[in-house]
Amino acid sequence: MLAPTLRRVQLVVSATQLRLLTHLVRFQSSSATVTGESISVQTLPIPFVPQPTGDNQKSSPIKPVAKAKSVPSTVLSYYYDTARPNAAQLRNADNFFRVHPPSILFSAGKFRTVKFTDVPEVAFLGRSNVGKSTLLNALMGQGICHTSRHPGRTKTMNGFAVGGPDGMGHPGRLTLLDMPGYGHGSREEWGPEIVKYLVGRKELRRAFLLVDSLHGLKQSDETILALFRHNAIPHQVVLSKVDRILLPSSKSKSISEEKLAEHAMELQRIVEKIRKQIQPKNDGPPALGEILTCSADNQRWKELSSEPKGRLGISALRWAVLAATGLHQKTSDVKVQQSLPVLDEEHVGD
């Protein structure tokens, strides 16, 4: 079969159609030349082709702008080196976190005070204003982590038991760690303690680094990533507050499919840029080739999400946690045995 070739098309259009076509070409073609009332395009297929118009011909009516119905999962999750979970796997991941309510295991000020166990652990880290505690509340399905409008609210290493008893005397099959934030508003002395924990904790399966999707990687984030690589600590980057990219504030309570597509392209550019930063060559084991984006609480756009309270990407993050610990192989379709309280307070803190 012959490979498809690019064609140069000469279209004669009215001024109104020219403006519409020029707008569409920005997203469908990388090469376009506009002169007078004609446009020459080296194209892939274009959504529509304007018909020639004259005095005795009527222009085709323009269809109303279509409203977006939901944010596709492919917009939120990027799998470069791993397999994308299917619907059943995401459902099982949700059930793992919902069947049994989480419980607080410990709140430690020093690494040496935390007991060693056989239960797999994952740690969540991030700058002090990245929305970490808010995200963990959404992940666990309860407002168990303290949140605040002021950066640096988390002052200790906090461990939570998730998934219910493991049958061996442990209250949870998974331990989720909320680490103190770093950067503005944080305690400088926490740096060495975090390093001690990450390097010396044999139960740690993966560190999840939260990065603000609007601001990207800061110097402190890059320092943490270098620490991960140099100490061969398995790690993954998660972009938080993605609703600010996909669904920026406006007076409208809906968004068109076209606008959502524009914002999705911007998010993809952000993800690709960060991917190059977190996977440098010849500098130790890089971050996992899987970048997730999420929003923990987005009441205003909840109709665009299939998750509770307008959350975006939480199910995929739950699956990533299970995959990191090997628990994804032990989950199956489980019916939720009890109704857990839904997080309904406003969350802005770390």
Side-chain angles (χ1 to χ4, degrees):
M1 180 180 294
L2 296 178
T5 58
L6 295 175
R7 296 179 293 111
R8 183 168 293 276
V9 184
Q10 187 75 19
L11 304 175
V12 179
V13 298
S14 67
T16 300
Q17 291 171 323
L18 178 59
R19 287 194 296 271
L20 290 173
L21 181 58
T22 302
H23 179 71
L24 287 171
V25 166
R26 293 173 185 168
F27 303 100
Q28 298 296 326
S29 172
S30 59
S31 176
T33 304
V34 179
T35 305
E37 289 192 351
S38 67
I39 181 167
S40 180
V41 189
Q42 194 172 9
T43 68
L44 293 174
I46 297 175
F48 72 92
V49 178
Q51 299 298 319
T53 59
D55 296 293
N56 299 324
Q57 291 179 305
K58 294 183 179 180
S59 300
S60 300
I62 299 175
K63 295 181 179 180
V65 176
K67 293 184 179 179
K69 296 181 179 179
S70 64
V71 178
S73 60
T74 52
V75 170
L76 298 169
S77 307
Y78 298 80
Y79 299 90
Y80 303 104
D81 303 329
T82 59
R84 180 180 295 275
N86 58 39
Q89 290 170 327
L90 293 177
R91 182 174 62 250
N92 292 338
D94 285 335
N95 287 341
F96 179 91
F97 282 85
R98 293 173 57 200
V99 170
H100 299 279
S103 60
I104 300 176
L105 285 176
F106 60 81
S107 182
K110 296 290 184 180
F111 167 65
R112 64 175 179 271
T113 64
V114 182
K115 295 181 179 180
F116 287 93
T117 68
D118 296 326
V119 178
E121 298 177 354
V122 294
F124 281 80
L125 301 90
R127 288 176 56 80
S128 55
N129 59 348
V130 78
K132 176 170 49 62
S133 296
T134 300
L135 182 65
L136 293 180
N137 281 336
L139 188 70
M140 292 185 285
Q142 286 198 37
I144 195 169
C145 298
H146 295 295
T147 62
S148 171
R149 291 182 179 273
H150 304 288
R153 178 65 177 79
T154 303
K155 301 295 184 183
T156 56
M157 289 186 292
N158 300 311
F160 302 94
V162 179
D166 66 351
M168 301 179 64
H170 301 296
R173 289 185 286 166
L174 166 69
T175 298
L176 192 152
L177 298 169
D178 181 11
M179 306 295 278
Y182 54 84
H184 176 70
S186 63
R187 290 168 48 188
E188 292 184 4
E189 63 269 24
W190 259 112
E193 288 300 321
I194 292 176
V195 173
K196 289 178 185 178
Y197 196 99
L198 296 176
V199 174
R201 194 69 174 175
K202 65 181 181 64
E203 296 93 342
L204 184 67
R205 298 295 183 266
R206 186 179 299 173
F208 289 84
L209 180 66
L210 302 187
V211 175
D212 192 309
S213 58
L214 268 180
H215 303 296
L217 292 175
K218 299 293 186 179
Q219 182 59 50
S220 53
D221 298 319
E222 294 180 353
T223 299
I224 290 290
L225 287 167
L227 182 151
F228 290 159
R229 293 192 296 269
H230 296 165
N231 290 279
I233 298 171
H235 60 285
Q236 179 173 358
V237 169
V238 178
L239 301 186
S240 66
K241 305 179 183 180
V242 71
D243 57 293
R244 298 184 181 183
I245 302 294
L246 292 176
L247 311 167
S249 298
S250 72
K251 295 181 179 180
S252 174
K253 293 186 178 181
S254 63
I255 186 171
S256 69
E257 292 181 352
E258 182 183 5
K259 278 295 183 182
L260 183 58
E262 288 183 36
H263 299 158
M265 291 175 65
E266 174 62 22
L267 177 60
Q268 184 176 2
R269 286 192 286 268
I270 293 172
V271 170
E272 289 296 337
K273 178 181 178 181
I274 289 180
R275 183 192 179 191
K276 295 178 181 178
Q277 295 175 288
I278 66 176
Q279 292 189 314
K281 297 180 179 179
N282 305 319
D283 191 31
L288 181 69
E290 174 182 310
I291 299 179
L292 306 180
T293 72
C294 55
S295 174
D297 194 2
N298 190 31
Q299 280 276 7
R300 194 164 167 277
W301 297 99
K302 60 183 178 180
E303 69 274 7
L304 294 178
S305 172
S306 59
E307 302 177 47
K309 297 185 69 59
R311 295 167 185 165
L312 299 170
I314 299 300
S315 297
L317 181 56
R318 286 171 170 171
W319 174 257
V321 168
L322 296 185
T325 57
L327 292 171
H328 66 301
Q329 300 175 346
K330 301 177 182 180
T331 60
S332 58
D333 288 307
V334 180
K335 293 183 179 179
V336 180
Q337 298 176 353
Q338 55 184 316
S339 177
L340 299 180
V342 177
L343 197 62
D344 57 3
E345 63 264 37
E346 182 179 6
H347 301 289
V348 186
D350 70 347

